[in-house]
């Protein structure tokens, strides 16, 4: 194990306190790059698996599953889960 001088550790501590660390950059990169690539891959696979064989019903079942998955991703990305949960809870609550 290598030893670090105490000044280096103090300098790193000051840098860590001054910087705004977060996951916004990674989240934005995934939303801008990885998600469209995954959607394109799924669309090509759906066309390749079912379109050439004439299995339109099978393709539509898969498309339904993809739409459900996209809805879940959309809820997760927009942080709308809290609002949806509040709305559903209000449907079942008796207090006005």
């Amino acid at each position: 194990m290598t030893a670090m001088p105490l000044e280096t550790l103090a300098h790193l501590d000051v840098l860590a306190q001054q910087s705004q660390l977060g996951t916004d950059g990674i989240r934005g990169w995934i939303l801008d790059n990885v998600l469209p690539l995954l959607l394109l891959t799924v669309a090509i696979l759906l066309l390749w698996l079912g379109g050439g064989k004439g299995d339109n019903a099978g393709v539509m079942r898969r498309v339904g599953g993809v739409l459900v998955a996209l809805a879940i991703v959309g809820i997760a990305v927009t942080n709308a889960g809290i609002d949806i949960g509040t709305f559903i809870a209000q449907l079942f609550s008796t207090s006005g």
Side-chain angles (χ1 to χ4, degrees):
M1 187 163 201
T2 60
M4 285 187 149
L6 195 54
E7 296 85 23
T8 305
L9 291 175
H11 183 66
L12 288 176
D13 186 42
V14 170
L15 285 176
Q17 289 176 3
Q18 290 175 351
S19 65
Q20 298 294 329
L21 298 177
T23 59
D24 291 336
I26 295 172
R27 181 178 176 265
W29 183 82
I30 289 173
L31 289 177
D32 293 340
N33 297 312
V34 176
L35 198 58
L37 186 61
L38 285 175
L39 292 176
L40 178 65
T41 304
V42 167
I44 290 172
L45 284 174
L46 284 174
L47 290 173
W48 180 58
L49 289 175
K53 300 176 187 173
D55 184 19
N56 294 335
V59 170
M60 291 311 293
R61 276 194 306 270
R62 291 182 185 98
V63 167
V66 168
L67 289 177
V68 169
L70 285 175
I72 292 170
V73 168
I75 289 170
V77 166
T78 60
N79 295 326
I82 296 170
D83 296 333
I84 293 171
T86 303
F87 173 74
I88 292 174
Q90 288 175 352
L91 289 176
F92 295 105
S93 69
T94 57
S95 63

